Amino acid sequence: MLFGWGSSSPRRILLHQFRRIGTALQWPLKETKISESTKLLEKHWSETLIKEFENGKMKPSRLASKKYILSMFPYPSGRLHIGHMRVYTISDATARYYRLNGYEVIHPIGWDSFGLPAENAARDKGVDPREWTVKNIETMKEQLVKTKILFDWEREISTCEPDFFRWTQWIFCKLFEHGLVKRTSAEVNWDPVDKTVLAAEQIDNEGRSWRSGAVAEKKKLSQWMIETPKYAKRLQDGLRKMSEQWGEVADIQANWIGKCDVWRFMLPIIGKDDEFIDLRISDIFEISNAEFLILKKNHPMADKKATEFPYKLPIEVLNGVTGRKIPAIVVDDSYHPDLDHFQNSRIGSFQTDKDLAQQFNILEPKHKRVLTKNDIQEMAAFGGYGGYETSRTLTDWVVSRQRGWGTPIPMIQLENGKRVPAKELPVLGSDRGKKVDGGEFDSDTLDTFFDSAWYYLRYLDNKNPNQLASKESLQKMPVDVYVGGIEHAAVHMFFARFISYFLKDIGFIPTAEPFTDLIPQGIVRGKTYIEKSTGRYLSPDDVVQSSSQNALTLKSDPTVEVEAVYEKMSKSKNNGVDLAAMLDSEGVDMTRLRLLESAAPRAPINWGETDLKGIKKLLDRIASINSDVIASKEKKNMPINKETEEKIRETYNFFVRNVGMCLEVLHLHNTALMRLQGFTNALKKIDPVYLANSPEGQRAVKALVVMLQVFCPHVASEMWSALCPTDSIVSSQKWPEPDSDAHVEFLLMIDGVSGGRPSVDRRVVEEMSTEELWKRAEQNEHGDILRMMKEQGMVIGNHGVSSRRGTVLQMCSSGLAYSSPESKCFHVTLSCSVEGDKEENRKKIGKILDRIQAEKRKMDSKKSAKRPKKERKENNN
């Protein structure tokens, strides 16, 4: 019997058989509340769950598909905080969901272990940065193990280990080999506190360093730079294809890359091998007859002390396309402000700038050069002068850092002035600046963003001594779901995409885009007390609440007013939460539930506003159903009612479909919990004796417990063991599937925004082609919104369809499992994009959806009014 009390899932046979351990509580429950016993259950079940997880990975797999679930790796500061717990809980819940669906899941963890804090600690406390880092990793690993999150620890990496940064250096050398790395003397951003160069991406809107908070200074230094603008247009175009899954993250990165409608030419300064003017122009053909340049006074080449304009720089610039040496004129900002000066420069015109040309005796050639676009690009590319379409604003990635604790730059400066890559890798920290035959090693280290730009590849083959990763292991790319802070949407993810595109170009990896889907995570904010008059951050212990006026004041001086706000947690603000203490007091399951229930993953959480009341109530209600069903198993005299069976069946299909959609497609873990609550409420209305003895009732109760484990695995393990004492543990069960004739979600996603998710009979849509599905959507389920969008002049493009079939594990002769080709469709998602400004389009779509909902409510109201009074009363009851 399907999902019967004594059934044994195929996955149980596939993996292994555990010695059964009894429940921690006495079932049926009497006076005991399961919400008050979660720490006891954690202690009872955690070892068994971890062993089942580890032993399961040792079995050979013939599962058809993998899911690579990746959370952003932490910097080993030595202390795990609530923000870490949130991101890893989200990734763990997602990984558990896919394991239950029969996927081979990759869920690794590692350490972003190079960086300034270790070097600052070495300087301030006299400790070795490596010892400081390794000790912190050990401490944080112990803390992570206590969270009971199921990571693939055998894949663990650390970016400061030579067996990792050897391959960081290998990628750098490959970039150099392909002409994308150059040594350039340029104006850079300098952090006066940390004494190092900052990339433009590491400076905030106020011009301050992202780490030290100091105002960045401008300095001219010779630096290693990577020519990321060469990939800007491709990376920008790639974002359009990712907009459905990435949503606002694609917008953030697209805005950061900038508009890609200009042509870049790097024009060398005559007599200076490592300096050039970064010229970007709208019309590529202008370069053919460029005889002089116009630079704004803020251009890096301009004299910052100059007070009189215009003036000619004492340099000449090589037009790499024509071979002509041309002058550069610096002008004030008031000179032709209406003209585009991308990167503060443009080509001078003998019409617009006629007076300037005459003033500085620049003669206009008698004959115009006529070059084709192909000629221009070939000549520019041959000399390394650019000639490609790119962003108006994106600059080269400055990767040199004047610090010791980082990946050593694997370059050697020869005595003749040339620079070549090191022949043997890794180049160690002790080699920096050291003399070698014919030269010396570079003394700088790489930006730590370089380490995190490729780490996701090393997880797949982390012990390979001969390659970054084997070709076979790289077939596991791309990452299916990437979980992490939305603040990394622009910088880290841009560099990661750049490196991935490059490695695909040289044939090393199979896919260009490294991340398919994203779950951007909002920050956890703590309650923060600030002295109103001074802005000083206070400890909660220094604050009291006035009983008369309900106002906050300083405990030591009631006349001093204090305000309470929610801000990002920080030690300096006295608003942090001790995660270790919270895990000790509340336990893992309650902490997980609190983080997942409080808000959607993308939204911030105000920690002081969250509590456990609703969570505890939900657990106790599910435990009550479980307990009542267990107590009613032997009462077999209740007849099976077809109408009740069908009602339970519809309830089962509706909630299984909705919980799956929330976790897999919408990434709304909090909404998935709400759906479980709805499922619980629906089952609570049915006699437990009936649930215990009907096929549909048994299936529904078991499905509820199986789905619950994604959120609180230890509590669910206890419930399952009590419900099915002869079956394998809950984590070896299969995620419940909607019936073959049930309805499935027919979702429309427009630039990452949901345009509606009606349900349709899966048998109708699962075999339809893309063209047939879109035709049906326009004529039926999504007709209103698509019609209204067209009426408002919105141009829809990039029509796509995605779906997933449920996984049916079956047994083959060898005892292994495989995915049945008869698996049924689980959801169908239509995706499209709209031309124009995305933010404006989303506002329009929101208004259209509001209008559709208003019209629907109006129609429902009219239908209700037409029904007989008695019928309306019965429905309301």
Side-chain angles (χ1 to χ4, degrees):
M1 181 175 66
L2 180 63
F3 249 155
W5 296 117
S7 69
S8 185
S9 73
R11 199 167 167 212
R12 173 192 174 194
I13 302 167
L14 162 67
L15 298 178
H16 51 281
Q17 301 228 358
F18 269 106
R19 178 178 65 84
R20 290 294 307 174
I21 68 170
T23 58
L25 304 176
Q26 183 67 43
W27 292 81
L29 300 179
K30 294 180 180 177
E31 301 299 323
T32 305
K33 281 192 172 184
I34 206 165
S35 64
E36 305 298 333
S37 309
T38 55
K39 287 185 66 183
L40 171 66
L41 302 184
E42 180 187 324
K43 184 177 180 181
H44 185 79
W45 285 103
S46 63
E47 186 178 344
T48 301
L49 288 174
I50 291 168
K51 279 184 179 178
E52 195 270 347
F53 168 67
E54 294 297 337
N55 290 348
K57 290 191 293 186
M58 296 173 66
K59 299 291 180 179
S61 173
R62 282 187 56 187
L63 300 178
S65 301
K66 62 83 192 176
K67 285 291 178 182
Y68 186 174
I69 313 299
L70 180 62
S71 50
M72 293 181 183
F73 62 170
Y75 178 78
S77 62
R79 179 174 167 268
L80 202 66
H81 57 69
I82 195 70
H84 289 128
M85 184 67 184
R86 188 184 190 195
V87 68
Y88 303 139
T89 298
I90 291 168
S91 72
D92 185 59
T94 306
R96 288 175 190 266
Y97 167 77
Y98 280 115
R99 281 191 208 100
L100 292 167
N101 275 278
Y103 286 92
E104 176 194 353
V105 173
I106 301 164
H107 187 221
I109 189 66
W111 310 97
D112 191 8
S113 48
F114 273 136
L116 282 171
E119 194 160 350
N120 290 342
R123 181 189 62 207
D124 300 339
K125 301 175 184 177
V127 296
D128 178 74
R130 179 175 178 79
E131 289 179 11
W132 184 87
T133 302
V134 170
K135 184 178 178 182
N136 283 354
I137 287 174
E138 291 172 357
T139 302
M140 287 185 71
K141 187 170 181 179
E142 289 175 6
Q143 294 168 355
L144 268 177
V145 168
K146 288 179 182 177
T147 67
K148 313 300 180 187
I149 288 167
L150 300 180
F151 285 121
D152 298 331
W153 283 105
E154 71 278 6
R155 295 184 183 272
E156 183 181 9
I157 59 171
S158 177
T159 61
C160 72
E161 295 299 332
D163 62 358
F164 181 92
F165 70 70
R166 169 188 181 182
W167 302 109
T168 308
Q169 293 171 337
W170 179 84
I171 294 171
F172 182 91
C173 292
K174 286 293 178 184
L175 287 163
F176 181 85
E177 181 185 315
H178 286 80
L180 290 167
V181 175
K182 55 182 177 289
R183 183 82 176 182
T184 303
S185 183
E187 189 177 72
V188 295
N189 302 299
W190 178 260
D191 187 324
V193 173
D194 285 332
K195 308 289 185 189
T196 191
V197 168
L198 297 168
E201 307 80 40
Q202 295 167 325
I203 296 174
D204 64 20
N205 294 332
E206 296 178 358
R208 295 180 180 276
S209 164
W210 71 291
R211 187 181 292 279
S212 73
V215 175
E217 300 171 354
K218 293 293 185 182
K219 234 181 185 185
K220 200 165 191 179
L221 293 173
S222 183
Q223 304 285 294
W224 288 107
M225 298 189 181
I226 297 177
E227 201 177 331
T228 51
K230 194 167 188 178
Y231 278 70
K233 188 164 189 336
R234 286 176 59 198
L235 290 166
Q236 183 74 284
D237 292 343
L239 287 172
R240 294 189 182 94
K241 299 171 186 174
M242 310 301 291
S243 63
E244 178 202 336
Q245 299 100 316
W246 286 28
E248 77 269 32
V249 173
D251 297 345
I252 292 168
Q253 193 172 129
N255 290 336
W256 187 74
I257 291 172
K259 202 168 185 180
C260 293
D261 62 350
V262 295
W263 300 87
R264 187 189 196 197
F265 293 93
M266 293 168 282
L267 308 183
I269 307 299
I270 304 296
K272 296 185 179 182
D273 294 338
D274 62 351
E275 290 189 62
F276 65 88
I277 287 179
D278 189 348
L279 178 70
R280 308 203 187 186
I281 54 178
S282 299
D283 182 359
I284 190 173
F285 296 102
E286 284 185 27
I287 196 71
S288 306
N289 293 283
E291 294 294 323
F292 64 104
L293 301 178
I294 303 294
L295 310 183
K296 288 284 191 177
K297 68 176 184 180
N298 290 325
H299 192 279
M301 289 291 177
D303 182 356
K304 298 300 183 288
K305 296 178 182 179
T307 57
E308 295 184 7
F309 302 92
Y311 65 90
K312 186 166 81 168
L313 286 174
I315 59 168
E316 284 188 304
V317 181
L318 176 66
N319 182 337
V321 173
T322 64
R324 296 271 295 171
K325 296 177 183 179
I326 61 177
I329 311 300
V330 180
V331 298
D332 190 70
D333 289 341
S334 60
Y335 182 77
H336 284 302
D338 54 318
L339 298 180
D340 289 325
H341 293 78
F342 306 116
Q343 303 292 324
N344 282 317
S345 62
R346 64 176 174 84
I347 293 173
S349 163
F350 285 103
Q351 284 75 45
T352 307
D353 307 302
K354 183 178 180 181
D355 293 342
L356 276 184
Q358 290 176 352
Q359 181 179 343
F360 294 101
N361 198 29
I362 302 169
L363 301 179
E364 182 177 8
K366 292 181 179 179
H367 302 288
K368 295 281 186 183
R369 299 179 192 85
V370 179
L371 297 174
T372 66
K373 181 179 176 182
N374 191 57
D375 290 338
I376 294 169
Q377 288 185 289
E378 281 191 3
M379 286 188 282
F382 180 77
Y385 305 129
Y388 49 80
E389 193 172 13
T390 189
S391 160
R392 297 180 177 191
T393 54
L394 188 70
T395 55
D396 292 333
W397 178 13
V398 182
V399 294
S400 295
R401 295 294 179 270
Q402 292 66 44
R403 306 299 294 219
W405 188 239
T407 298
I409 293 179
M411 299 297 289
I412 297 172
Q413 180 165 350
L414 303 178
E415 292 172 354
N416 62 10
K418 289 186 178 180
R419 292 181 171 87
V420 295
K423 291 181 180 179
E424 292 186 14
L425 301 177
V427 175
L428 303 176
S430 56
D431 296 327
R432 294 170 50 246
K434 187 183 287 186
K435 298 280 186 183
V436 290
D437 290 341
E440 66 178 54
F441 283 108
D442 201 292
S443 60
D444 286 350
T445 56
L446 286 171
D447 178 8
T448 52
F449 275 119
F450 204 112
D451 305 322
S452 59
W454 74 275
Y455 77 109
Y456 48 87
L457 299 173
R458 187 62 175 173
Y459 278 136
L460 299 174
D461 199 5
N462 64 327
K463 295 178 178 64
N464 192 328
N466 303 314
Q467 295 173 280
L468 184 153
S470 70
K471 196 168 185 178
E472 181 184 4
S473 69
L474 290 170
Q475 297 305 310
K476 303 291 186 184
M477 284 296 289
V479 172
D480 292 285
V481 182
Y482 197 24
V483 187
I486 198 167
E487 66 271 20
H488 300 295
V491 186
H492 155 63
M493 290 188 63
F494 171 78
F495 291 144
R497 293 181 66 228
F498 164 74
I499 292 294
S500 184
Y501 270 59
F502 167 71
L503 292 175
K504 170 68 167 62
D505 285 352
I506 65 173
F508 186 73
I509 59 175
T511 57
E513 289 293 349
F515 316 119
T516 300
D517 210 348
L518 304 177
I519 305 181
Q521 171 217 336
I523 62 172
V524 182
R525 299 187 291 214
K527 199 167 191 177
T528 312
Y529 297 96
I530 303 172
E531 190 176 309
K532 284 187 177 181
S533 58
T534 64
R536 180 168 63 102
Y537 289 104
L538 303 170
S539 167
D541 297 333
D542 298 331
V543 179
V544 292
Q545 188 166 336
S546 169
S547 56
S548 58
Q549 298 180 354
N550 203 29
L552 297 174
T553 62
L554 200 61
K555 186 185 290 184
S556 59
D557 185 353
T559 64
V560 177
E561 293 183 341
V562 174
E563 66 175 336
V565 295
Y566 283 96
E567 292 187 359
K568 185 176 181 179
M569 290 184 182
S570 166
K571 192 174 181 180
S572 63
K573 296 177 182 177
N574 300 300
N575 65 350
V577 173
D578 187 334
L579 179 60
M582 184 165 55
L583 290 174
D584 287 340
S585 64
E586 296 183 2
V588 168
D589 279 8
M590 296 307 282
T591 302
R592 286 171 66 99
L593 282 166
R594 193 171 172 183
L595 285 165
L596 294 172
E597 186 266 348
S598 295
R602 296 173 187 236
I605 293 177
N606 290 339
W607 191 249
E609 293 179 350
T610 65
D611 60 45
L612 299 169
K613 290 180 184 176
I615 297 166
K616 287 183 175 182
K617 185 178 179 182
L618 174 61
L619 290 185
D620 289 334
R621 284 173 65 79
I622 296 174
S624 172
I625 292 173
N626 214 50
S627 184
D628 290 346
V629 166
I630 291 167
S632 305
K633 278 185 184 179
E634 303 306 320
K635 301 175 183 177
K636 299 184 180 293
N637 58 346
M638 179 167 284
I640 301 300
N641 181 286
K642 285 186 178 181
E643 287 185 8
T644 305
E645 286 291 273
E646 184 59 30
K647 181 181 177 182
I648 298 173
R649 180 174 178 268
E650 287 179 5
T651 299
Y652 164 88
N653 280 306
F654 176 83
F655 285 107
V656 166
R657 183 183 78 229
N658 272 269
V659 174
M661 279 294 295
C662 288
L663 291 173
E664 181 172 333
V665 181
L666 302 175
H667 303 312
L668 295 173
H669 297 69
N670 60 322
T671 308
L673 267 169
M674 289 172 63
R675 296 293 176 263
L676 282 187
Q677 184 175 350
F679 197 10
T680 303
N681 293 341
L683 294 180
K684 262 287 193 185
K685 295 176 182 177
I686 300 170
D687 188 332
V689 176
Y690 192 92
L691 289 176
N693 294 284
S694 88
E696 291 296 341
Q698 292 175 18
R699 182 172 73 154
V701 174
K702 294 180 98 175
L704 177 61
V705 178
V706 169
M707 292 191 291
L708 180 66
Q709 70 176 296
V710 164
F711 308 96
C712 49
H714 306 95
V715 172
S717 295
E718 173 74 8
M719 290 188 189
W720 182 264
S721 185
L723 190 66
C724 307
T726 62
D727 206 349
S728 55
I729 66 175
V730 70
S731 57
S732 67
Q733 301 307 309
K734 176 177 165 289
W735 185 267
E737 276 192 30
D739 292 320
S740 59
D741 60 346
H743 282 209
V744 295
E745 300 285 344
F746 190 31
L747 187 68
L748 173 64
M749 296 296 289
I750 309 163
D751 279 334
V753 175
S754 174
R757 40 183 294 208
S759 60
V760 296
D761 189 325
R762 72 193 298 175
R763 294 168 297 182
V764 173
V765 296
E766 65 183 352
E767 300 301 333
M768 280 186 172
S769 66
T770 298
E771 186 178 336
E772 289 169 333
L773 285 167
W774 272 100
K775 186 175 181 180
R776 178 186 175 90
E778 290 170 353
Q779 294 177 350
N780 297 286
E781 289 81 9
H782 298 293
D784 288 343
I785 186 171
L786 293 171
R787 173 179 51 77
M788 291 180 186
M789 287 172 66
K790 287 178 181 177
E791 287 173 356
Q792 293 197 19
M794 301 174 79
V795 180
I796 301 170
N798 297 323
H799 295 73
V801 173
S802 63
S803 64
R804 180 173 75 77
R805 293 179 175 271
T807 303
V808 178
L809 291 180
Q810 297 186 357
M811 305 306 299
C812 61
S813 58
S814 64
L816 298 174
Y818 64 94
S819 185
S820 168
E822 297 176 4
S823 302
K824 298 299 180 181
C825 177
F826 179 69
H827 71 83
V828 175
T829 301
L830 303 178
S831 62
C832 63
S833 60
V834 182
E835 292 181 7
D837 184 86
K838 285 187 179 180
E839 198 57 42
E840 286 299 314
N841 286 335
R842 284 172 182 165
K843 288 178 183 176
K844 289 180 182 178
I845 292 166
K847 288 179 180 178
I848 291 171
L849 289 171
D850 290 343
R851 184 178 153 196
I852 291 171
Q853 286 299 317
E855 290 178 0
K856 185 177 182 299
R857 284 193 296 269
K858 192 174 179 181
M859 288 180 65
D860 289 345
S861 179
K862 285 182 178 179
K863 286 179 182 177
S864 178
K866 288 179 180 179
R867 289 202 305 268
K869 189 174 181 180
K870 183 179 178 182
E871 183 184 335
R872 294 202 305 271
K873 186 176 180 181
E874 287 175 354
N875 286 340
N876 289 334
N877 291 334

